[in-house]
Amino acid sequence: MHNKMSAVAAPLRVGIVGCGNISSNHLQAYAEVDGAEVIGVCDVDIARARMTATNWNIEHAVDSVEALLALDLEMISICTPHPTHEAVAIAAAAAGVHVLCEKPIAVDIASAQRMVDACAAAGVKLGVLFQRRFWPAAQQLRSLIDDGTLGEPKLGHVAVQLYRAPEYYAADAWRGTWDADGGGVLMTQAIHYLDLLQWYMGPVAQVYGRINTYKHGDNIDVEDSATAVLQFSSGAMATVNATTATDPGLGVQIRLTGSTGATAELTEFPEGTDGRLTIRTVEDRIDATLGHPADQYPNIDLAQINGGLIAHHQAQIVQFVEAVRDDRAPAVTGTDATNALRILLAIYHSAQTNKPVDFAPLPAAPQVPDEMLDRLDIAATPLAR
């Protein structure tokens, strides 16, 4: 299919598919972006689509992707439930329309790869929303790696300790189900930070993980808590803990230690606020700021969380529009997003099989000497009570 971009600098004609909560971030962001104009919205609930169009002064409201694509679009934002992303993206690619998709890109790797392949074959861009990469502090941490301050990351840790009330899951019937949501805290919340971790530390070689449900079992079928150990192709290692069962929520911390011995920590607290560097070691001293100020109320609602991210949605949308106009790669490609999905699905698989999942050969590591084997026969020694 042809690519509909022209040499004329008129605003890109944009459609939004799905008029649920997160679409507000896209609508607000596009309203502030030069070079793109939302001319249509789509939702299976036509009343909601019409209300959205009225509220945002948008010309067209339709109830099918086909009707939206018929508006001669150049770009769409996909804001629908996770398992529906593939069908929308492939239809858009077939129409020669660029695709910016909310995370996760899909709920299985085959689906994600079909999206990547369809967009590549059609010559259209595929970007996926991981707006936390656009925090200034997240960019600064990336710079500390690139300029050699940290050196090559060797140790990482991600702590995702969030609060969700039962009402969060009850508000939408699809939330917290394997079929419609694709997973729990890993799929919906922690995937943002898995994306950051791979952006900082590179490709993952092995994943070992566990999942459980400690708090929300009456409301969800999926996990509300997970833990994992990741080994990277570089030889680096990282641990991940993620939960929506914390009350009050403690936000998110990402800590990296590099080959120079230097360490930096990125903190998001409360959830939805800008990440900031709360720890940075400099030569023989530690520069630190308080990660959890006492004057911050921790348990903010979903609308506040999403609202706090609008500026970063806007930054990513600006970059995507520029990538379309300049014919260059989006900041977060479909392949990047597929890699993040692969990590979390490997945690699920590992938890199910109680075995690690290998993506690539592991680099050489120190071996335990043979004389230590007797000490390692812990199965013969009962745990102390």
Side-chain angles (χ1 to χ4, degrees):
M1 289 294 175
H2 69 285
N3 183 322
K4 292 187 177 182
M5 284 300 298
S6 69
V8 179
L12 294 178
R13 293 170 60 84
V14 178
I16 293 181
V17 185
C19 296
N21 290 327
I22 201 62
S23 68
S24 295
N25 281 39
H26 289 250
L27 289 160
Q28 181 64 50
Y30 283 117
E32 304 295 330
V33 171
D34 292 331
E37 180 183 5
V38 178
I39 57 95
V41 293
C42 170
D43 197 281
V44 292
D45 181 345
I46 188 61
R48 183 160 68 169
R50 287 169 177 161
M51 180 179 296
T52 300
T54 298
N55 291 343
W56 290 91
N57 196 29
I58 295 168
E59 185 176 359
H60 300 282
V62 298
D63 62 0
S64 73
V65 174
E66 292 75 18
L68 188 69
L69 293 172
L71 299 175
D72 196 32
L73 301 180
E74 293 161 301
M75 173 178 165
I76 62 166
S77 276
I78 302 177
C79 303
T80 57
H82 309 157
T84 66
H85 292 174
E86 179 189 351
V88 179
I90 288 178
V97 174
H98 302 281
V99 177
L100 184 60
C101 183
E102 269 295 328
K103 63 77 197 168
I105 184 173
V107 295
D108 64 77
I109 298 301
S111 179
Q113 192 60 53
R114 286 191 292 268
M115 293 169 66
V116 170
D117 292 344
C119 289
V124 299
K125 308 297 181 189
L126 172 60
V128 180
L129 258 297
F130 282 110
Q131 73 285 94
R132 285 166 173 86
R133 284 204 197 188
F134 287 79
W135 284 332
Q139 300 276 337
Q140 185 180 355
L141 181 50
R142 179 69 248 184
S143 295
L144 293 176
I145 298 168
D146 294 339
D147 69 13
T149 300
L150 284 180
E152 187 177 32
K154 294 300 182 184
L155 291 174
H157 178 63
V158 175
V160 182
Q161 295 179 282
L162 306 179
Y163 168 79
R164 288 295 184 273
E167 294 76 18
Y168 166 80
Y169 297 104
D172 294 294
W174 58 272
R175 285 197 189 279
T177 64
W178 290 111
D179 287 343
D181 212 359
V185 63
L186 288 171
M187 186 71 75
T188 302
Q189 287 88 23
I191 191 171
H192 282 288
Y193 313 102
L194 294 174
D195 172 69
L196 284 173
L197 195 63
Q198 68 163 359
W199 187 41
Y200 293 140
M201 300 188 74
V204 170
Q206 185 185 80
V207 176
Y208 182 80
R210 307 296 292 174
I211 62 172
N212 216 319
T213 305
Y214 295 120
K215 181 177 180 180
H216 297 297
D218 290 340
N219 301 292
I220 63 177
D221 303 325
V222 296
E223 87 289 352
D224 66 20
S225 302
T227 189
V229 176
L230 310 182
Q231 290 192 277
F232 295 80
S233 295
S234 66
M237 302 180 293
T239 55
V240 177
N241 288 310
T243 186
T244 55
T246 307
D247 188 7
L250 295 173
V252 179
Q253 292 78 45
I254 301 173
R255 183 176 292 182
L256 301 178
T257 298
S259 55
T260 65
T263 295
E265 180 181 86
L266 184 66
T267 294
E268 176 187 355
F269 177 82
E271 185 185 1
T273 56
D274 285 9
R276 60 199 189 283
L277 284 178
T278 46
I279 294 176
R280 180 183 172 187
T281 60
V282 182
E283 296 178 345
D284 59 350
R285 73 179 192 277
I286 300 172
D287 288 344
T289 60
L290 191 60
H292 297 87
D295 61 348
Q296 296 289 327
Y297 182 72
N299 291 351
I300 60 178
D301 63 29
L302 183 62
Q304 289 177 284
I305 293 168
N306 287 342
L309 294 168
I310 289 173
H312 310 299
H313 264 85
Q314 181 179 337
Q316 187 165 359
I317 286 172
V318 167
Q319 193 280 333
F320 189 80
V321 168
E322 291 174 349
V324 169
R325 290 202 174 280
D326 298 340
D327 192 22
R328 53 189 172 89
V332 185
T333 66
T335 298
D336 293 332
T338 301
N339 288 338
L341 178 66
R342 193 184 306 275
I343 296 169
L344 77 86
L345 291 178
I347 298 173
Y348 289 148
H349 186 85
S350 178
Q352 183 72 18
T353 63
N354 199 29
K355 295 178 180 179
V357 175
D358 294 321
F359 296 150
L362 292 173
Q367 298 297 304
V368 178
D370 289 344
E371 57 268 25
M372 288 289 293
L373 292 180
D374 287 342
R375 301 185 196 179
L376 296 177
D377 188 15
I378 60 173
T381 306
L383 292 174
R385 299 292 183 185

